[in-house]
Amino acid sequence: MGVRGIWSSLSSSAHINVQELQAVWLALHHFCHVLTDSHVLVQTDNTSVVGYINHQGGLRSPRLHRVACRLLLLVQDNLRSIRAIHQCVQYEIIASYQK
């Protein structure tokens, strides 16, 4: 299963860290019905995304913090937990179906 699309003109001009965290949000939003009540592990090559997910936001980038807050609200309403680790690969969102 996968998700893909084209960034809007507004999103395409955003900083790469914002785009990458937004991509995590979009993937989770798309697969929310499958991931309900799961523990999710995000593997990303972007250390800022790892930090903003694991620290539940941050102070350096207000825009990145807003995306992180949106992501955490989605997690709060649908998942048991989310954690991110740094991997030198593109994103993979792995859900543990242990309930």
Side-chain angles (χ1 to χ4, degrees):
M1 286 193 296
V3 179
R4 61 185 157 154
I6 298 172
W7 291 111
S8 69
S9 59
L10 181 62
S11 294
S12 65
S13 65
H15 191 276
I16 187 65
N17 293 340
V18 174
Q19 289 179 345
E20 297 225 9
L21 190 57
Q22 182 70 23
V24 173
W25 183 88
L26 289 167
L28 287 175
H29 186 262
H30 180 80
F31 291 112
C32 218
H33 64 285
V34 177
L35 300 174
T36 300
D37 209 26
S38 297
H39 300 280
V40 173
L41 174 65
V42 177
Q43 297 178 343
T44 178
D45 63 350
N46 187 303
T47 56
S48 292
V49 169
V50 171
Y52 272 78
I53 289 174
N54 291 342
H55 296 171
Q56 300 180 357
L59 299 174
R60 289 191 178 251
S61 167
R63 190 162 179 199
L64 201 52
H65 181 74
R66 284 192 299 275
V67 176
C69 288
R70 270 184 56 202
L71 174 68
L72 293 168
L73 287 173
L74 181 68
V75 168
Q76 178 183 354
D77 292 342
N78 298 287
L79 306 175
R80 286 188 178 211
S81 67
I82 189 169
R83 188 170 70 91
I85 60 172
H86 182 257
Q87 294 271 316
C88 292
V89 294
Q90 290 182 336
Y91 302 111
E92 270 184 59
I93 297 179
I94 300 171
S96 167
Y97 292 101
Q98 300 169 351
K99 296 186 179 186

